[in-house]
Amino acid sequence: NLSGATVTVGGVLTALDGISLDLAPGEILGLVGEGLSNKAVARRLGISAHTVKFHLESIFAKLGAASRAEAVARGLRGGVIEL
């Protein structure tokens, strides 16, 4: 069961269940949760779409997710992101 609480320490969001994401990937996951495409996320953050894709692959691995929707759901349940 995921706690839903987070703390920020040294620029890293850490859910109390042990899931943590750097602020940039956490921000990327939040924007994906708002329905933005990789290109739209890249434009919003001023980074390349390739960088967004790289971060999403890392996020999927950290959260044990197989899709964007699953990553967002796990991020919300774990308190890593808020929408």
Side-chain angles (χ1 to χ4, degrees):
N1 190 336
L2 301 176
S3 68
T6 61
V7 294
T8 303
V9 179
V12 176
L13 282 176
T14 303
L16 294 182
D17 64 354
I19 296 171
S20 66
L21 296 174
D22 294 340
L23 290 177
E27 188 172 3
I28 288 171
L29 186 59
L31 293 172
V32 168
E34 292 177 17
L36 274 64
S37 67
N38 287 4
K39 285 184 180 182
V41 170
R43 280 192 300 268
R44 176 86 59 96
L45 298 178
I47 59 178
S48 73
H50 175 77
T51 299
V52 172
K53 183 179 176 183
F54 172 80
H55 281 299
L56 285 174
E57 289 171 0
S58 174
I59 290 166
F60 289 3
K62 284 186 176 187
L63 297 178
S67 69
R68 295 165 74 92
E70 185 179 7
V72 169
R74 288 178 183 249
L76 286 168
R77 282 195 309 265
V80 176
I81 61 168
E82 295 179 2
L83 296 181

